[in-house]
Amino acid sequence: MLTHPTARVLEPGDLDAALAVLDSDPVANAFVTSRVTIAGLDPWRLGGEMWGWYTGGRLASLCYAGANLVPICATPEAVRAFADRARRAGRRCSSIVGPAGPTADLWARLEPYWGPAREVRGRQPLLSTRTLPADVEPDPLVRRVRRDEMDVIMPACVAMFTEEVGVSPLAGDGGLLYQARVAELVSTGRAFARIEDGEVVFKAEIGAVTRHTCQIQGVWVAPAHRGRRLSETGMAAVLNYALRDVAPVASLYVNDFNAPARAAYHRVGFREVGAFMSVLF
């Protein structure tokens, strides 16, 4: 048993202890929990390493180090250890994202070595709900995207990603990984859209899924159709699917400067339960 504070790469035998840490904040940890539940802690299957911080022999904090660097339930001491390990390894991630406090501390320690970032989004409210809105009718035209509609949904997904992140998901590998991810969401019935005359008017996906919660992502309204409150009625429809078929709680996080989106999410019942921070490279 470890008797002094330390950090190490977790192994498959640490799975139960890691899940216990993740389950301590199921909404904030939904993304990583969903990956660990499916893939376990083997780095090859997980797509990265899981670092663990132990205090008094007990696993207390985690950090997922893959395409994203994600601190989880990270104490200041754990953040210091994770930053040291990340600095020694060199930057391999495209972003740092997680609860605002630990993420800000982690970035402050890494910025002298990894900076500058392309963009830092210092506060992204984390929202959740477990009920359907009482006064917003779900859009009856929002439905699951069919597998034969990949050519229809992909341009909207690319437009959303580029608008949100600031770079195209088609860069690098020509979009093969991104297209595979969209195809996975479509094939599992977690991609939703309102499609009119072959055009996507509204879309959203249910990304991370755990037994406790699911995380909605990729919410987008075609520019020509904005201002019609389609984000509200569309989100109400997606919530109907999410809370009925997927998990008892739905969550998402949003940029604090996106006032229209925040207002729309509030009107369909989402309430703030925390805050994330993202550092984009």
Side-chain angles (χ1 to χ4, degrees), residues 116-137:
R118 179 171 56 84
E119 185 177 358
V120 176
R121 299 179 180 179
R123 190 176 188 280
Q124 299 170 296
L126 175 64
L127 314 175
S128 75
T129 184
R130 59 175 62 246
T131 60
L132 295 173
D135 54 356
V136 178
E137 287 293 324

Side-chain angles (χ1 to χ4, degrees), residues 211-248:
R211 63 191 177 95
H212 297 295
T213 188
C214 62
Q215 192 173 84
I216 297 172
Q217 64 181 39
V219 182
W220 183 82
V221 176
H225 296 273
R226 293 174 185 175
R228 296 169 51 191
R229 308 190 84 166
L230 292 176
S231 60
E232 297 176 25
T233 57
M235 279 296 293
V238 174
L239 276 176
N240 188 46
Y241 286 105
L243 297 177
R244 184 190 65 199
D245 300 341
V246 182

Side-chain angles (χ1 to χ4, degrees), residues 257-279:
F257 54 79
N258 192 343
R262 293 181 65 183
Y265 298 148
H266 185 84
R267 281 192 287 269
V268 297
F270 282 97
R271 296 296 180 263
E272 188 170 332
V273 295
F276 272 18
M277 173 179 172
S278 295
V279 181

Side-chain angles (χ1 to χ4, degrees), residues 198-212:
E199 177 194 8
V200 175
V201 173
F202 164 89
K203 76 159 203 73
E205 297 91 41
I206 299 174
V209 173
T210 76
R211 63 191 177 95
H212 297 295

